[in-house]
Amino acid sequence: WDVQISAAWQSIPGYQVVANWNAPNSAIIPSLGRPLSGNQQTAQVNLIEPGTEYGDRSNQVDLRFGKIFRFSGARTSVNADLFNAFNANPVTSENAAYGPAWQRPLLLLPGRLIKFSATFDF
């Protein structure tokens, strides 16, 4: 029949959740006992302990269907590739700046995509 079928499954761990707050000098002076060095006005502070919170795991299934045609001394393969076959859409990146836009999605897993291709071997 000269038919090719393949599948690839990816399971990628979620991104690390962070909450970066730009603490003003007025909030730092009481605990530090002095202003920030170098005349800095803010210091970035992560409000979540690193390595404790993660986003959702990203699962993706890619499929390929192909048909091989043979001619006199030549071979042609016609393929259809289906990326993200189940159209999953987990968040892959989010806003880390603590404030009104904190945890707003910045990137999603790209949607379903189909690609047609042909290969000629001679």
Side-chain angles (χ1 to χ4, degrees):
W1 290 1
D2 285 334
V3 175
Q4 296 177 329
I5 299 173
S6 64
W9 175 58
Q10 298 179 53
S11 184
I12 301 168
Y15 54 89
Q16 184 173 333
V17 176
V18 294
N20 294 328
W21 176 51
N22 287 324
N25 215 353
S26 61
I28 294 173
I29 290 174
S31 63
L32 192 59
R34 62 174 176 80
L36 291 168
S37 62
N39 203 19
Q40 294 288 323
Q41 296 304 310
T42 62
Q44 193 173 59
V45 178
N46 189 357
L47 301 176
I48 298 175
E49 186 177 343
T52 58
E53 291 189 33
Y54 294 91
D56 294 334
R57 181 171 279 279
S58 174
N59 295 310
Q60 179 178 346
V61 176
D62 300 333
L63 303 172
R64 171 175 260 197
F65 303 96
K67 172 69 175 137
I68 298 174
F69 299 100
R70 298 181 192 279
F71 303 104
S72 58
R75 182 179 111 156
T76 301
S77 175
V78 178
N79 304 305
D81 297 313
L82 183 61
F83 302 99
N84 195 5
F86 298 124
N87 207 24
N89 63 346
V91 175
T92 57
S93 177
E94 66 183 15
N95 187 356
Y98 185 75
W102 182 55
Q103 290 189 318
R104 181 173 292 159
L106 297 176
L107 291 173
L108 298 174
L109 187 66
R112 185 181 301 134
L113 174 73
I114 189 165
K115 178 181 87 170
F116 298 101
S117 63
T119 305
F120 303 100
D121 297 324
F122 52 93

